[in-house]
Amino acid sequence: RVSHFPDSLVKTADLDPRKNYVLGFHPHGILVAGAFTNFCTEATGFSKLFPGLRSHLLMLPLWFRAPFFRDYIMSAGLVPSDKESASYLLRRKGGGNAVVIAVGGAPEALDAHPGDYTVHLANKKGFIKLAIEHGADLVPMYSFGENTVFDQVENPRGTWLRYIQERMQHIMGISLPLFHARGVFQYSFGLMPYRKPINTVVGRPIPVDKNEKPTAEELDVFHQRYMDELSCLFEEHKGNYGVAEDAHLLFQ
């Protein structure tokens, strides 16, 4: 356990260490804090919950071009989120690899507000294709509390701020949410995350048969199945983490 974040990783089913997996992490949040804590450290006991599996969190390739920062993130086990890097891990014989993808990516960070359950998934099929091409089972995850550890300046769609943020994201590949939380020695303002719980629930695996050239229909079937499983996971567990009964995932 880490002292600053009261985080937890919740297991709902066993994952066979003889297989490889593509784990979808939702939502992205401001800084994917839950994904880093759960899958780049042993703070929440990943290897005890899923013995024989090694997790690999994917991150935008552009961050691997920054000197020193590159060495830091590589030492934490992060991997560039290009297809070649992910395929290298999923091709390994004998299984035991869990590739973790924050599916909503940079655009989803702009919707990271407390009480917002927007998930950018409606048109995201690249990770589904990756799983089918390598015969890796798909595992949906939902991180309750991910959107509460920072406050973001209000940026509804249609405002100038949102327009500028989306243009910048389109040009640079990264989004620039205007966020704040607490300071190191005071709680009123700063860039340290609030000390609020993040509970990441790992869903049941969706079995995937290998097909190196999946059809559009096959992609659609698995994509819909994945969205259904993620919705069920959210509905099943939201009551445990203070989410209102009438709150549901909004697929963007």
Side-chain angles (χ1 to χ4, degrees):
R1 272 233 192 272
V2 271
S3 57
H4 183 78
F5 292 109
D7 291 5
S8 69
L9 187 63
V10 181
K11 173 181 175 177
T12 63
D14 288 330
L15 297 181
D16 186 344
R18 294 167 299 179
K19 292 183 171 186
N20 289 325
Y21 297 90
V22 172
L23 277 62
F25 182 86
H26 312 272
H28 182 285
I30 297 286
L31 295 176
V32 281
F36 185 85
T37 304
N38 288 313
F39 306 114
C40 297
T41 78
E42 274 298 317
T44 54
F46 177 84
S47 63
K48 289 189 179 70
L49 287 172
F50 303 103
L53 274 191
R54 188 170 176 205
S55 58
H56 309 270
L57 178 61
L58 269 53
M59 191 177 194
L60 279 174
L62 109 91
W63 295 115
F64 290 85
R65 298 186 201 126
F68 307 114
F69 184 67
R70 170 182 181 271
D71 300 285
Y72 169 68
I73 58 179
M74 286 178 75
S75 70
L78 282 102
V79 177
S81 60
D82 54 66
K83 189 175 180 184
E84 196 180 328
S85 301
S87 293
Y88 171 76
L89 295 167
L90 295 173
R91 276 198 304 266
R92 286 182 177 172
K93 302 293 180 195
N97 291 289
V99 169
V100 182
I101 303 175
V103 178
E108 197 172 78
L110 299 177
D111 286 319
H113 296 276
D116 191 305
Y117 302 104
T118 303
V119 172
H120 289 234
L121 184 57
N123 300 307
K124 302 272 186 178
K125 294 180 186 173
F127 76 107
I128 303 283
K129 189 178 183 188
L130 180 74
I132 298 172
E133 286 173 343
H134 295 87
D137 288 1
L138 285 157
V139 182
M141 299 186 287
Y142 194 84
S143 197
F144 292 92
E146 190 71 39
N147 287 344
T148 65
V149 292
F150 293 100
D151 286 323
Q152 182 175 179
V153 173
E154 288 299 323
N155 59 343
R157 283 177 179 77
T159 60
W160 271 104
L161 175 59
R162 185 59 171 251
Y163 172 76
I164 292 165
Q165 288 175 319
E166 287 176 346
R167 288 295 299 156
M168 294 290 284
Q169 192 270 317
H170 185 71
I171 294 163
M172 299 167 60
I174 57 170
S175 62
L176 297 169
L178 299 179
F179 66 92
H180 63 88
R182 49 160 285 177
V184 179
F185 301 112
Q186 43 75 33
Y187 214 81
S188 53
F189 190 83
L191 296 179
M192 287 278 287
Y194 293 123
R195 198 175 184 280
K196 292 182 178 179
I198 298 176
N199 300 286
T200 304
V201 183
V202 183
R204 295 177 289 271
I206 300 166
V208 176
D209 292 325
K210 184 175 179 177
N211 179 359
E212 290 180 4
K213 293 190 175 173
T215 63
E217 290 76 21
E218 196 175 358
L219 285 175
D220 288 344
V221 166
F222 275 100
H223 183 253
Q224 188 59 54
R225 191 176 301 166
Y226 182 91
M227 289 205 298
D228 292 344
E229 283 289 331
L230 181 62
S231 283
C232 287
L233 185 71
F234 180 83
E235 295 297 331
E236 223 171 284
H237 295 273
K238 67 183 183 182
N240 299 334
Y241 305 112
V243 177
E245 187 60 40
D246 61 352
H248 308 289
L249 290 185
L250 174 62
F251 291 120
Q252 187 71 33

